[in-house]
Amino acid sequence: MPAKPPSIKPPLIKPPLIKYCSTPAGRVAYARVGSGPALLFDPGWITHLTRQLELFDFGPFMTRLAERYTVIRYDKPGCGLSDRDDFDLSFEAQVAAAIAVTEAAGADRFTVFGASQGGQIAAAIADRLPDRVEAAVLYGTCGNGADLGPAELRESLVALVRAHWGFGSKVLTGIFVPEPNPAEIEQFTRLQRAGASANVAAELLASYYLTDVRPLLPTIKAPTVVLHRQGDPATRFLLGREVASLVPGSTLIPLSGSSHLFYHGDWTEVLDAMLGFLGGIARGSGGSSSVPVDAVAERQRLTARELEVARLVADGLTNMAIASRLSIAPRTAETHVENIRRKLEVRSRAQIAAWVTEHRVRPPP
């Protein structure tokens, strides 16, 4: 009997249909997938509309997101399937290119997601299009690129990209994925080779280091959430906290883990926090009004102390810090958090924070 051919696992998401549009930065490739409200998606730094779906858990992340939104992705100028010559990599041109994509895709109003370098672009779009941007999700980003490290370190990283791009550098992969294994290095290297040339990758990184969006953050009017992993070595948590502090009325949701990439590690925690925040806005609870504590407690059967603990979890406090703040034993704080998880039927602290944001839980008077 002949051997059965090996089974091939079907892709989690179908290859996107690629379209092109002219932008001030050059001709850009873009794709739409899913159904529901429009969501402009910038995953940061280097992009490739098809190959990125194979990198770590990017494909599953997109599949889940596309169940609720029409996700508009695009390849940055000089990257992926966009024009590889006659392009402009300046920050202003990148912002203009992203806006042109939304117009070509017919997104009159949309939510914008930006990760890392894309977070700065998303913030600039939210600032410039207050009548079109319904909400902003900023992941693992910073206000001032110069704060990512001393000048000598930034210069050495740009040089590292120029010299080792596409050659399987463990050091380069390790900036984004702490302690990468050989398979992770190989996956990241494949994206490097397909996504951009060494020169384009280096120029985009250098542009990030030179960009400071802090002056425009206080002018953003769209409901904004800042998601940041507390152990991220590429972009320190304090930098994400600064972004959240500068955007009026924004919410900071601290996440566990240390990977800089939202689609690596516990990507479901990132997605759950994002969808929880956006879901609250869609249901009309993302505004400035607060739900009375008594009403929330009745609906979820949380005690007044549990609501207080939930609020502190949303503020990013650890169980030890919560115990110190409330003058209770650390074990008691841990029990409160576990009870909150059970009652809300959630798995993570990020989901608790998203629930607090959705319901605008405020401490009792």
Side-chain angles (χ1 to χ4, degrees), residues 280-291:
I281 295 172
R283 287 189 290 273
S285 58
S288 60
S289 61
S290 298
V291 177

Side-chain angles (χ1 to χ4, degrees), residues 157-293:
L157 288 178
V158 172
L160 177 68
V161 170
R162 291 190 190 278
H164 295 279
W165 189 253
F167 290 104
S169 167
K170 181 177 181 179
V171 175
L172 187 56
T173 306
I175 295 172
F176 305 94
V177 180
E179 299 298 324
N181 59 44
E184 291 171 331
I185 295 173
E186 174 59 26
Q187 286 189 64
F188 193 62
T189 301
R190 286 201 300 267
L191 178 66
Q192 292 173 30
R193 292 170 180 165
S197 67
N199 183 60
V200 167
E203 289 300 319
L204 284 172
L205 183 59
S207 175
Y208 188 21
Y209 290 151
L210 293 173
T211 303
D212 185 358
V213 298
R214 290 176 300 177
L216 63 82
L217 294 178
T219 67
I220 293 176
K221 295 181 173 58
T224 301
V225 63
V226 177
L227 309 176
H228 211 108
R229 283 181 168 146
Q230 297 179 78
D232 185 349
T235 305
R236 291 168 292 130
F237 178 75
L238 290 177
L239 299 181
R241 189 175 71 179
E242 179 187 41
V243 171
S245 71
L246 291 174
V247 179
S250 69
T251 297
L252 172 66
I253 300 183
L255 303 172
S256 60
S258 57
S259 180
H260 182 60
L261 304 176
F262 62 88
Y263 49 93
H264 182 269
D266 189 359
W267 61 272
T268 59
E269 183 183 32
V270 180
L271 186 65
D272 289 342
M274 174 182 175
L275 293 178
F277 178 82
L278 295 178
I281 295 172
R283 287 189 290 273
S285 58
S288 60
S289 61
S290 298
V291 177
V293 170

Side-chain angles (χ1 to χ4, degrees), residues 31-41 62 65-73 105-107 109-111:
R32 291 162 47 112
V33 63
S35 59
L39 189 153
L40 179 67
F41 198 89
M62 285 296 103
L65 191 59
E67 292 173 356
R68 301 194 187 187
Y69 292 90
T70 298
V71 183
I72 304 169
R73 293 195 298 129
R109 292 184 60 79
F110 58 92
T111 291

